[in-house]
Amino acid sequence: MRIAVVTLFPAWVAEAVKIGVVGRAIERGQVQVTTLSPRDFAGDVHGTVDDRPYGGGPGMVLKCETACAALRATRAQMPPGSRRIYLGAEGAPLTQRKASELAQLPGLILLAGRYEGVDERVLATEIDETISIGDYVLSGGELPALVLVDTVVRLLPGVLGDAESAGQDSFTAGLLDWPHYTRPENFEGLAVPPVLLSGNHAAINRWRMKQALGRTYERRPDVLERAELTSEQRELLNEYVRERTH
Ligand code: 4FV
């Protein structure tokens, strides 16, 4: 997969993707990440990329000429079928399901906004979809772009080793993750749940699923509503709730 990030901070983004799983995937050639700044397409000596909002109001807006020029130059370099995404608080929420969809594509072109946002005509002409990482306002789209890159790249074939398989991720099964433990067996009087030391993998899997169901029920009932539970899972959840309430 190829990913291009259009941002006023190309050096920061280029550095940030060198870390961890994404950095390793880049080294292995499993993904290529490039960055480009709209400022490279500014015609004036000041490198102007923003201007005051029509209709008045605070702050500045990313200009369409420079943003569109950068997006078009990027698209010319990217594989056909690449998806053009603006990261904005007014977008559709980024989910594991959306990340899986994007991971199937040959390329992603990500536009990271700054200031109050980008001129709407950029979205109308050069963007396929707007995605939000959450209902809060950030000072720029770079962190959301890096979040999207991370959640997509780790789903690419061969990026995660067996030990790290994405298959067990939260939300992959539509539920929150189960609790994780490692050595020591006892930490300041806090013991690891004995079932995890039993070697009985059927019992361990049952305990983990029960925990995932229970946590999702307690912390994210909205997520549980969307999960298609099997009858066995529903029974496990009832058991969890019974034990919790008695
Ligand atoms: C955002 C979000 C976000 C809005 C104005 C960048 C900022 C500034 N992007 N999910 N939440 N973007 O707050 O994706 O240009």
Side-chain angles (χ1 to χ4, degrees), residues 4-7 34-41 62-78 82-87 108-113 118-129:
V5 184
V6 174
T7 163
T34 55
T35 59
L36 188 67
S37 172
R39 212 178 291 284
D40 301 345
F41 297 82
L62 266 182
K63 289 170 66 62
C64 38
E65 302 98 321
T66 40
C68 286
L71 288 163
R72 288 164 187 162
T74 303
R75 188 152 58 107
Q77 310 291 323
M78 293 289 281
S82 294
R83 183 82 52 85
R84 303 166 300 170
I85 297 169
Y86 172 62
L87 287 302
L108 301 175
I109 299 171
L110 308 180
L111 173 61
V118 65
D119 187 296
E120 193 66 18
R121 295 165 288 184
V122 176
L123 308 181
T125 57
E126 294 300 328
I127 293 292
D128 301 314
E129 63 180 303

Side-chain angles (χ1 to χ4, degrees), residues 83-202:
R83 183 82 52 85
R84 303 166 300 170
I85 297 169
Y86 172 62
L87 287 302
E90 62 284 350
L94 177 60
T95 62
Q96 194 69 24
R97 183 188 304 274
K98 172 55 75 172
S100 309
E101 174 202 327
L102 297 176
Q104 314 306 317
L105 297 168
L108 301 175
I109 299 171
L110 308 180
L111 173 61
R114 275 278 149 180
Y115 313 109
E116 298 310 306
V118 65
D119 187 296
E120 193 66 18
R121 295 165 288 184
V122 176
L123 308 181
T125 57
E126 294 300 328
I127 293 292
D128 301 314
E129 63 180 303
T130 297
I131 292 177
S132 170
I133 65 164
D135 298 342
Y136 39 81
V137 178
L138 300 161
S139 55
E142 285 76 18
L143 291 171
L146 290 167
V147 166
L148 189 147
V149 167
D150 191 291
T151 193
V152 168
V153 169
R154 64 198 308 289
L155 296 176
L156 298 177
V159 167
L160 291 184
D162 303 349
E164 306 158 296
S165 81
Q168 298 212 356
D169 277 354
S170 283
F171 298 106
T172 301
L175 298 171
L176 299 189
D177 212 354
W178 48 68
H180 298 284
Y181 296 86
T182 186
R183 287 178 293 202
E185 273 184 34
N186 192 297
F187 173 68
E188 297 177 352
L190 300 170
V192 171
V195 65
L196 297 179
L197 310 173
S198 69
N200 176 339
H201 291 290

Side-chain angles (χ1 to χ4, degrees), residues 51-61 115-117:
D51 202 341
R52 288 177 294 103
Y54 276 123
M60 301 293 271
V61 175
Y115 313 109
E116 298 310 306

